[in-house]
Amino acid sequence: MVKKVNILSEEEKILSILEKVYDPEVPVLSVPDLGIIRKIDFENGSPVITVTTTYSGCPATEVINNDIRMAFLEHGYNNIIIKNQLSPPWTTEWMSEAGKRKLKEYGIAPPDKKFSVPKDGIECPRCNSINTTLISEFGSTACKALYRCNDCKEPFDYFKCH
């Protein structure tokens, strides 16, 4: 009997580690789901992870970088390099479809293709109604807006498009 061995490439190993690093502000999204991992390279055998944060002033940037570093240390990578890249700027279009689905399941309306904060009509992640009203262009974090569903009466965050 031949025993099958699952051999991952080095890049696949790196990605599997990154999939266990979550956004501290939206803990259901891994950093790949969020779309902030721009590139995985290697320099002299060390992983180089290029990260583009959701916006340049994001307060979670240092936490995410530290969480990435700690995840790699736990897997025996002592010389990881994290590069922060601001250009091109991050866009919600870089989020994975799985990430958008996870947002909705968590109770946050995922971004749609509109690049503004609509006054109403964002689908409620709880009851799927589009009978919703904007309460504030700023929600629990700067990257979200606060809405209320007029049908189920629940407030919810909407992950703004960038």
Side-chain angles (χ1 to χ4, degrees):
M1 175 180 268
V2 176
K3 185 177 179 181
K4 289 187 176 183
V5 178
N6 187 10
I7 300 174
L8 296 176
S9 72
E10 196 65 21
E11 189 169 330
E12 289 170 326
K13 287 179 191 175
I14 300 299
L15 192 55
S16 72
I17 294 169
L18 290 168
E19 287 171 349
K20 294 174 180 68
V21 177
Y22 290 88
D23 180 333
E25 295 179 336
V26 187
V28 295
L29 294 181
S30 70
V31 291
D33 282 335
L34 194 52
I36 64 173
I37 304 301
R38 299 312 312 145
K39 191 169 26 167
I40 299 170
D41 283 323
F42 297 89
E43 287 180 12
N44 301 322
S46 295
V48 178
I49 312 300
T50 302
V51 178
T52 297
T53 56
T54 55
Y55 70 100
S56 62
C58 179
T61 301
E62 284 306 311
V63 173
I64 290 170
N65 287 346
N66 288 336
D67 288 351
I68 290 171
R69 190 169 311 285
M70 292 305 295
F72 278 88
L73 284 170
E74 290 171 7
H75 286 85
Y77 291 89
N78 297 319
N79 297 315
I80 182 171
I81 300 164
I82 299 173
K83 293 183 178 179
N84 290 300
Q85 176 181 314
L86 298 178
S87 181
W90 178 84
T91 173
T92 48
E93 291 179 355
W94 294 355
M95 292 177 73
S96 71
E97 290 305 312
K100 291 175 185 177
R101 186 186 72 254
K102 290 174 190 178
L103 273 178
K104 184 174 179 179
E105 290 168 358
Y106 188 64
I108 298 173
D112 61 18
K113 300 220 182 273
K114 301 171 188 168
F115 283 90
S116 63
V117 177
K119 297 295 179 205
D120 53 28
I122 294 296
E123 185 177 310
C124 174
R126 291 177 178 81
C127 73
N128 300 321
S129 170
I130 58 169
N131 182 17
T132 59
T133 304
L134 175 67
I135 296 171
S136 173
E137 289 196 22
F138 299 98
S140 61
T141 63
C143 59
K144 298 181 206 101
L146 182 61
Y147 282 80
R148 181 183 59 244
C149 178
N150 297 319
D151 289 336
C152 72
K153 308 297 185 212
E154 291 291 324
F156 64 93
D157 276 333
Y158 163 66
F159 204 98
K160 294 187 243 183
C161 291
H162 304 35

